[in-house]
Amino acid sequence: MPKFESYTCPKMRRFCFTDALVVAFVVSGITQSCFGATEGNVAAGHEASGDGALTPESAARSVPMPPSLLPFEDHNVGYYFSLGLTAAFPDDLEVSDYCLSLLRIFGERYVNYVKCLVSYTRPVAVCENCYKNFNNLQEIYLNISSDAVGPENVSCLDSLIRFDRLMLVFNLYNAQTDIWAAADCKQCLTGDQQSLSDTTVYFLTVLNNSVDCFDQHKQGNHSELCKECKKPYQTLSALYNRMEKNDTLCIDLEDKMNVTRRLWSKKYNCSVPREETVPVIAVSSFMLFLPIIFYLSNFLHSEQKKRKLIHPKRAKSNNSLMNIQEKFS
């Protein structure tokens, strides 16, 4: 198109004037950065030539660089690139400094609580050891989700919980509360969840008595263990049954009782006659003889009815016979 010919470069291997300006600016910037680096090195005590000249070896000695920050490692390239992306975005004006501080505390307490859960997974002892961590996590979440206005006259409910559809803080907290509720930890703690309940402490004491008895007699003949530890084990089993009826058991106590029962029955081959054996036998015997009693009573009752039906007929026939005899007489 002719009207654009004055703004295009001639068709020959030369730069346009604008391209030349761009190249000049780039070269000028590189030159200034090089001179600035040289001046900085000289100011730092390094000479440009001679014995004290700045060489690659001397530069490496003068500025020690940890291995994790070597410039030619691939993961560091990604690290600097991620920093560049983070710096490219402006600060989130929707979240105040106060809310960010609460979010940081929530993250720290969340990690501590999860660490505690993992540490006491086997054998299960999460309720008796992690209730403090759970209380701390619950406290900071209530601060975040509260409608109350913070120091900066802002509420963190919208900015940290309702801001996006992921609702990460809300879902993370709910996942842990579901685990806590599934473990029935409240049943082993006081009302404010600040300590173990008296019933739980007593159960642990009785449990320790049984386990100590097992440890004392586990060597040698297990028949001696079954004899000596029968009473402590029966006491523990009766206590567990009462607590099960009263809903005062948590996952910690259930797991400990299951382990104790496996030790008693499978490892040491002990057995204890159950107290309800006699009532069960009595009821079973009664149910066994119930059909016999039913048929016997039915037979006797039917015979009695037959007698009642026959007697009036005989009496009637006798009366009629007497009347006939009287007529003929």
Side-chain angles (χ1 to χ4, degrees), residues 112-248:
N112 292 334
Y113 174 67
V114 173
K115 284 183 179 179
C116 184
L117 292 182
V118 175
S119 301
Y120 294 100
T121 299
R122 233 29 266 164
V124 182
V126 295
C127 297
E128 53 187 305
N129 293 288
C130 301
Y131 64 90
K132 293 182 179 179
N133 300 94
F134 180 78
N135 291 336
N136 293 334
L137 179 65
Q138 190 177 39
E139 178 185 8
I140 189 62
Y141 179 80
L142 291 178
N143 290 335
I144 293 175
S145 60
S146 175
D147 291 331
V149 177
E152 299 180 5
N153 199 23
V154 294
S155 174
C156 302
L157 177 62
D158 293 331
S159 59
L160 295 182
I161 296 181
R162 300 175 179 173
F163 187 75
D164 51 60
R165 65 179 179 83
L166 185 58
M167 299 175 64
L168 189 58
V169 175
F170 173 79
N171 289 324
L172 287 175
Y173 176 75
N174 275 356
Q176 300 308 323
T177 54
D178 290 343
I179 294 175
W180 191 257
D184 293 326
C185 290
K186 287 185 177 181
Q187 298 182 172
C188 288
L189 303 173
T190 56
D192 55 358
Q193 294 192 154
Q194 297 299 324
S195 61
L196 296 177
S197 63
D198 295 337
T199 306
T200 302
V201 174
Y202 179 69
F203 178 86
L204 294 176
T205 303
V206 177
L207 176 69
N208 290 334
N209 293 336
S210 298
V211 174
D212 291 341
C213 184
F214 293 168
D215 293 337
Q216 291 175 5
H217 301 88
K218 64 182 180 180
Q219 302 297 335
N221 190 3
H222 289 167
S223 61
E224 186 69 18
L225 182 147
C226 298
K227 179 181 178 181
E228 296 295 331
C229 301
K230 177 181 178 180
K231 186 175 181 179
Y233 180 78
Q234 284 182 327
T235 304
L236 176 65
S237 181
L239 176 61
Y240 181 84
N241 292 334
R242 290 197 302 270
M243 294 178 65
E244 187 175 15
K245 293 179 181 179
N246 298 331
D247 293 330
T248 55

Side-chain angles (χ1 to χ4, degrees), residues 95-112:
V95 184
S96 63
D97 293 337
Y98 170 71
C99 295
L100 289 177
S101 64
L102 292 182
L103 182 62
R104 178 184 56 81
I105 297 173
F106 176 83
E108 293 174 355
R109 295 184 180 183
Y110 190 92
V111 170
N112 292 334

Side-chain angles (χ1 to χ4, degrees), residues 17-34:
F17 179 71
T18 56
D19 295 335
L21 288 177
V22 172
V23 173
F25 283 130
V26 172
V27 174
S28 175
I30 296 175
T31 305
Q32 290 179 0
S33 62
C34 293

